[in-house]
Amino acid sequence: MNPVLGAVGGTIVLAVLAIAFGLILSGIDRRVAARMQARVGPPLLQPFTDVRKLFAKQNIVPANAIPWLFHAMPIVALASAVAILLYLPFGSFAPVLGEFGDVILVLYLLIIPSLALVIGGFASGSPYATVGAQREMVSMIAYELPLAVAVIAIAWRLMAAGVAEPFSLLTLMEVSVWDVVGPLGVVALLILLVMMAWVTPGELSKIPFDSPEAETELAGGILVEYSGKNLGLFTLAQAVKTVAMSAFGIILLLPWNLSPFLGLTGAAAGVADLIFFFLKVLFVVIVSVTVVRTMMARFRITQVVGLYWLVLGGLGALAIILMMADAVCPGVI
């Protein structure tokens, strides 16, 4: 029973930390966006206040809703977002579930919170939520292509370099793909870095990829009928998914730890690597979410699909070709 109790305890601790850090990231995101727009912005801990107020309010179920689905989807969204974290290494800390999961499993788990939003939107019976759910499904189909291409390209290059278990998250964290590529591979990785920077706000439904919500068009869209505790759960799920998606991108393309450079070992190394990991998460959120949503307006759903399938899909194909050329001729520039 000890491994089971350890996994349960680790899950609870990780969930609490992820929720707290995700809400802090939301507060930082809002403060930085406000400063970029020459505003003061809300307090840093405003997301905690918002969630607390939501959990104090009543759940309102629309007359045309399917009640059990309507209530179940926020729980599914939060649980699946937390489940992603159980397979991710943080700094030099191994995943809670050890080596049971790999990159492919995480790709599947990343879809579930979005699917929960879609099902919840359809279950609410609102025409606005239905349109939002349809847009969310189209967005999911669009951004999964460049995300899968990035994962496959990195894993294939590690496999070509003779690295064992290239789809393992622990392997990706321990063996940086930047260390095994030549000049052509570096160019390919820079392309993949740009792709991941655009996939991240799409996964999180942030501007300019927030067409499923689109307050000015759909009055909140997919979440228009949600209130009270249910909306609070979706808010927490979004906060946790922000941490999970950013951490996933870091493991793929920015996996370095700080302790080897500082010569640290033991507990000091673990703490330093964990702090450094969360600083990288903060950096990713500010660059790929805050800056982008402050500078740009919402894309139409057709523009979202065009960007992910045509532009980023084409860049992904180019990155794979460069990776293949780099594996054959690693010294060519």
Side-chain angles (χ1 to χ4, degrees):
M1 292 296 293
N2 288 336
V4 175
L5 292 176
V8 171
T11 301
I12 295 172
V13 171
L14 187 59
V16 172
L17 291 177
I19 289 172
F21 186 59
L23 292 177
I24 291 174
L25 284 177
S26 178
I28 294 174
D29 168 61
R30 294 164 70 173
R31 290 283 290 186
V32 173
R35 293 300 184 183
M36 291 180 67
Q37 297 171 344
R39 296 184 289 109
V40 176
L44 184 62
L45 299 182
Q46 184 64 42
F48 291 88
T49 303
D50 295 340
V51 170
R52 187 177 70 250
K53 289 181 178 179
L54 285 173
F55 275 90
K57 294 182 181 296
Q58 178 185 1
N59 280 332
I60 298 175
V61 181
N64 296 326
I66 304 173
W68 70 272
L69 269 179
F70 186 80
H71 288 300
M73 289 306 103
I75 300 173
V76 172
L78 179 57
S80 57
V82 172
I84 299 169
L85 300 177
L86 303 181
Y87 299 97
L88 301 181
F90 291 88
S92 55
F93 287 91
V96 172
L97 294 183
E99 301 177 357
F100 291 105
D102 60 6
V103 178
I104 304 301
L105 176 61
V106 171
L107 287 179
Y108 279 110
L109 289 175
L110 281 170
I111 299 174
I112 298 179
S114 298
L115 283 178
L117 272 172
V118 170
I119 297 172
F122 283 130
S124 67
S126 167
Y128 292 112
T130 299
V131 174
Q134 292 170 343
R135 291 183 178 184
E136 180 68 23
M137 287 192 298
V138 174
S139 299
M140 287 168 53
I141 295 172
Y143 61 63
E144 286 300 321
L145 173 64
L147 180 59
V149 167
V151 169
I152 291 172
I154 292 171
W156 181 87
R157 187 62 185 89
L158 289 174
M159 183 172 60
V163 177
E165 300 182 0
F167 284 94
S168 167
L169 291 159
L170 285 173
T171 299
L172 291 170
M173 194 66 192
E174 294 170 357
V175 181
S176 172
V177 67
W178 297 88
D179 296 333
V180 303
V181 298
L184 290 177
V186 170
V187 175
L189 289 176
L190 291 175
I191 293 175
L192 296 180
L193 197 61
V194 172
M195 289 171 56
M196 287 298 298
W198 282 99
V199 168
T200 299
E203 277 275 7
L204 302 175
S205 295
K206 298 293 187 181
I207 296 173
F209 305 103
D210 64 332
S211 57
E213 296 181 14
E215 291 86 354
T216 54
E217 303 167 25
L218 303 177
I222 203 167
L223 294 174
V224 65
E225 298 293 350
Y226 275 97
S227 59
K229 297 180 182 63
N230 285 334
L231 184 56
L233 288 172
F234 269 130
T235 303
L236 295 181
Q238 180 72 5
V240 175
K241 188 177 179 182
T242 300
V243 177
M245 184 60 201
S246 303
F248 185 57
I250 288 168
I251 292 169
L252 289 175
L253 288 164
L254 304 170
W256 305 285
N257 285 323
L258 189 61
S259 58
F261 297 97
L262 299 178
L264 300 176
T265 58
V271 172
D273 290 339
L274 185 62
I275 293 174
F276 185 57
F277 189 91
F278 283 128
L279 288 176
K280 288 189 290 183
V281 170
L282 175 60
F283 172 78
V284 168
V285 170
I286 291 176
V287 171
S288 64
V289 175
T290 308
V291 173
V292 172
R293 78 177 182 85
T294 305
M295 295 175 58
M296 304 189 68
R298 180 184 307 118
F299 287 163
R300 298 193 311 271
I301 190 63
T302 53
Q303 293 173 320
V304 172
V305 175
L307 174 65
Y308 282 130
W309 278 66
L310 299 180
V311 179
L312 296 186
L315 287 175
L318 175 61
I320 290 178
I321 293 172
L322 290 173
M323 283 290 193
M324 295 172 64
D326 183 72
V328 175
C329 305
V332 175
I333 182 67

